Amino acid sequence: MRAVSAIDAAYRQLFKRYLFRFDAEYAHRMTLRMLSLMPPFTPPRERPELAIKLWDTDFSNPIGLAAGMDKDAVAIRAWETLGFGFAELGTITPRPQAGNETPRLWRLPERRALINQLGFPSEGMEAVAPRIHRMRKAGISIRIGLNFGPNSNTPPEAVAADYTRLMERLGPLADFIVVNVSSPNTPGLRNWQSPEKMSELFATMVGDAGESPRPVLVKISPDLERNELFRICESALEIGVDGIVACNTSVAREALGVLSPHPGGLSGRPLLIRARELIRDIHTHTRGKIPIIGVGGVGTAEDAWLHIRAGASIVELYTALIYEGPGVVEKIKTGLADLLRRNGFRSIGEAVGIDR
Ligand SMILES: Cc1cc2nc3c(=O)[nH]c(=O)nc-3n(C[C@H](O)[C@H](O)[C@H](O)COP(=O)(O)O)c2cc1C
């Protein structure tokens, strides 16, 4: 815990004085570099009531890092030190690619939000694999999700093959896999959310026998119509998808109360209520049969708690880490343990979906 406080204090000093004066992407790169160079510290002590088991995997707590922060798996030890129970790394593409032109990341500090149109900059799966392999060999307690996406120059007819290659190369290194079909910054990607395309994709990735050595989840967009969402839920049940990550960034602006000229995906506080609505709809429509990772706008224990009560088994965050600093993870965990106790629950699992 002392290590987390020191890192948090250092970030706040830097954050206040320097980081926010830089271009958002440059500041992000510097922060990630510092985190990747950080010496290993003992992670904070875990509270047993926050532990949860999903897909036969034990998570020491339900708070995870959302995809996009550590796209190339360079700072796994730092996420563990900050107290995350899991980290979703990626989006990883098969071949290295630079992503979209810059500038492509903007802050909306007064709304505690970001807009990005990065377009999957990735060092590619061959760079990422040995990093995860090394960490596994050294021993880590944090759970690792790997988020997959196709290269931007892959023709539509070869997209499923991109996911399959990622699955073959990186699948065995992951605790769970996330198929990202919802980034708004890769043209055509969101079409893969349709039930027909999703079935085709999963059949190719996992094989017709439907057996994957690792749980395979799908990450969906907050911009889906309700009837589209219900069709996705039905087909997810049918295909045997192991989980749904709800949700990615949004291209909506006015509907989320944001006015901004920047293009791309909106994340952070304005997404909170929409994400919760999606989580509740998925939980209801799948009758709680498919575990949900709740993500979107989480910055406090109360936010995480309400995502869990709506149906999320575990929760992720990204944007709050930028605005609140790395101490936010431990703050949320302490608050969650308190909320559990005050509401008469003995474990996170008992509270999942009780507001359905
Ligand atoms: C700068 C940035 C980059 C992101 N990159 C990815 C990505 O590569 N893959 C992905 O699935 N989600 C990506 N996301 C979306 C997040 O994982 C998350 O779904 C979204 O930001 C909502 O969570 P938040 O409000 O806690 O940030 C990115 C988000 C941001 C802000």
Side-chain angles (χ1 to χ4, degrees):
M1 187 66 185
R2 284 229 309 276
V4 177
S5 309
I7 297 162
D8 193 53
Y11 179 83
R12 279 164 189 285
Q13 286 290 323
L14 270 176
F15 167 90
K16 285 206 182 103
R17 293 196 188 166
Y18 305 113
L19 276 180
F20 265 38
R21 292 192 201 157
F22 291 123
D23 159 75
E25 193 173 349
Y26 179 70
H28 172 264
R29 266 211 304 277
M30 278 205 323
T31 309
L32 201 56
R33 178 102 186 112
M34 281 187 295
L35 288 171
S36 71
L37 295 173
M38 206 170 75
F41 293 101
T42 313
R45 201 173 53 81
E46 294 290 1
R47 301 155 189 81
E49 67 273 29
L50 294 188
I52 184 161
K53 194 180 195 122
L54 272 182
W55 315 294
D56 275 336
T57 301
D58 291 311
F59 290 74
S60 60
N61 75 72
I63 307 300
L65 178 75
M69 178 78 199
D70 190 0
K71 288 173 184 286
D72 296 310
V74 296
I76 296 174
R77 190 64 78 193
W79 311 127
E80 187 176 84
T81 299
L82 294 181
F84 282 111
F86 65 106
E88 190 182 321
L89 308 171
T91 294
I92 307 161
T93 57
R95 285 160 277 118
Q97 66 176 29
N100 292 332
E101 306 238 307
T102 55
R104 50 190 186 174
L105 178 61
W106 298 273
R107 302 184 191 97
L108 279 59
E110 67 292 349
R111 304 303 313 275
R112 289 286 203 255
L114 292 171
I115 293 181
N116 91 83
Q117 105 164 318
L118 295 173
F120 298 165
S122 170
E123 290 182 29
M125 64 183 187
E126 291 306 334
V128 168
R131 287 181 194 142
I132 303 172
H133 190 67
R134 252 197 321 274
M135 294 307 296
R136 289 241 178 257
K137 241 177 121 185
I140 44 171
S141 55
I142 190 170
R143 299 297 173 202
I144 299 294
L146 297 180
N147 176 307
F148 296 161
N151 280 105
S152 56
N153 61 359
T154 298
E157 64 278 10
V159 164
D162 265 12
Y163 284 106
T164 307
R165 285 175 62 205
L166 286 156
M167 183 80 168
E168 283 167 3
R169 180 70 179 100
L170 297 176
L173 294 170
D175 290 302
F176 64 92
I177 288 145
V178 178
V179 178
N180 180 7
V181 284
S182 49
S183 165
N185 302 316
T186 298
L189 187 70
R190 287 178 161 200
N191 297 339
W192 288 90
Q193 291 179 115
S194 80
E196 301 73 31
K197 293 288 238 181
M198 215 161 75
S199 308
E200 178 193 329
L201 189 56
F202 271 71
T204 318
M205 277 182 76
V206 179
D208 286 332
E211 282 301 317
S212 157
R214 298 287 181 273
V216 182
L217 290 71
V218 63
K219 183 167 180 178
I220 63 164
S221 157
D223 303 327
L224 292 164
E225 300 283 340
R226 215 148 177 246
N227 60 339
E228 286 178 298
L229 176 72
F230 290 161
R231 286 195 337 120
I232 290 172
C233 288
E234 277 147 32
S235 103
L237 282 168
E238 209 174 287
I239 306 166
V241 168
D242 295 295
I244 297 180
V245 184
C247 56
N248 213 315
T249 55
S250 175
V251 294
R253 294 291 185 271
E254 261 181 70
L256 299 177
V258 172
L259 289 175
S260 166
H262 300 303
L266 175 74
S267 62
R269 192 131 281 263
L271 205 55
L272 180 74
I273 301 303
R274 175 64 189 133
R276 187 164 306 142
E277 206 171 76
L278 265 176
I279 295 166
R280 186 171 295 119
D281 274 350
I282 298 166
H283 195 263
T284 307
H285 210 76
T286 59
R287 298 172 297 286
K289 286 189 181 148
I290 301 186
I292 300 166
I293 300 186
V295 50
V298 172
T300 66
E302 177 91 7
D303 298 339
W305 175 239
L306 292 177
H307 274 8
I308 291 167
R309 292 179 60 124
S313 295
I314 52 180
V315 169
E316 293 178 342
L317 56 91
Y318 179 160
T319 305
L321 203 56
I322 310 298
Y323 290 108
E324 313 302 330
V328 72
V329 185
E330 276 305 298
K331 258 187 231 150
I332 290 178
K333 283 160 59 184
T334 307
L336 254 186
D338 205 41
L339 281 161
L340 268 183
R341 195 169 25 81
R342 280 198 275 134
N343 286 275
F345 295 102
R346 279 162 307 171
S347 71
I348 289 288
E350 286 180 8
V352 174
I354 54 160
D355 284 346
R356 164 144 64 104

